[in-house]
């Protein structure tokens, strides 16, 4: 089991957690496996490929749901079973992509990576998305450090 504390204030985490739940729900709506399917001649192969992707995604989402539903997360504590690490990393990436495609779509990659300098003058949706993105990024980075 990997355990660590986030360096983000628990007040921020607990205020963003409900929003992370909304993004989690929204991420399912953005699912599109058709774009990732190689060009198969046989329809059966295509269906098997898509089913495999769906099964993997379900595991990723389950690992992410465990994290988001953990009562300790609101206090900045992250606990991940060893068996869930890879799935959680993929689930976190998916959720960050969802935030990127929705709330942060108007922000450039450079602004996102260097920090939003005018955060107080941005729309609330962008601020919430930004903080949600940062929380997920820290969890991912810390998990990667722990397994390296």
């Amino acid at each position: 089991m990997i355990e660590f504390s986030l360096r983000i204030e628990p007040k921020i985490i607990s205020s963003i957690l409900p929003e992370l739940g909304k993004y989690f729900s929204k991420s399912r709506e953005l699912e599109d496996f058709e774009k990732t399917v190689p060009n198969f001649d046989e329809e059966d192969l295509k269906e098997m490929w898509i089913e495999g992707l769906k099964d993997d995604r379900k595991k990723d989402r389950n690992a992410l749901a465990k994290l988001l539903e953990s009562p300790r997360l609101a206090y900045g504590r992250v606990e991940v079973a060893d068996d869930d690490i890879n799935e959680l990393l993929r689930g976190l990436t998916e959720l960050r992509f969802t935030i990127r495609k929705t709330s942060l779509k108007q922000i450039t990659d450079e602004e996102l990576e260097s920090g939003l300098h005018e955060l107080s003058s941005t729309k609330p949706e962008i601020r919430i998305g930004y903080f949600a993105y940062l929380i997920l990024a820290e969890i991912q980075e810390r998990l990667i450090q722990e397994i390296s």
Side-chain angles (χ1 to χ4, degrees), residues 16-121:
I16 295 296
L17 273 176
E19 300 303 318
L20 283 172
K22 292 176 188 176
Y23 288 120
F24 182 76
S25 296
K26 186 174 282 203
S27 68
R28 175 165 250 159
E29 298 168 15
L30 299 176
E31 181 179 283
D32 184 9
F33 293 115
E34 293 294 325
K35 293 180 182 177
T36 60
V37 177
N39 191 12
F40 289 117
D41 292 333
E42 295 183 33
E43 192 62 30
D44 289 347
L45 288 175
K46 180 179 178 179
E47 287 177 28
M48 285 175 31
W49 183 276
I50 290 174
E51 285 306 310
L53 291 174
K54 285 180 181 179
D55 288 345
D56 288 345
R57 184 156 193 241
K58 184 177 180 179
K59 292 174 188 171
D60 299 348
R61 290 181 62 79
N62 286 341
L64 183 56
K66 283 183 201 176
L67 173 70
L68 295 177
E69 293 169 358
S70 168
R72 292 177 166 231
L73 184 58
Y75 300 100
R77 293 287 304 151
V78 174
E79 297 174 343
V80 183
D82 292 337
D83 294 344
D84 289 340
I85 295 169
N86 289 328
E87 289 83 2
L88 179 57
L89 286 170
R90 288 190 302 266
L92 289 164
T93 299
E94 175 195 340
L95 198 51
R96 288 178 71 195
F97 279 142
T98 297
I99 295 168
R100 189 76 182 97
K101 289 187 237 178
T102 57
S103 297
L104 301 178
K105 64 183 169 196
Q106 298 172 342
I107 307 301
T108 66
D109 289 337
E110 293 79 29
E111 288 175 305
L112 192 56
E113 294 303 321
S114 66
L116 296 177
H117 302 291
E118 300 296 323
L119 191 58
S120 61
S121 64

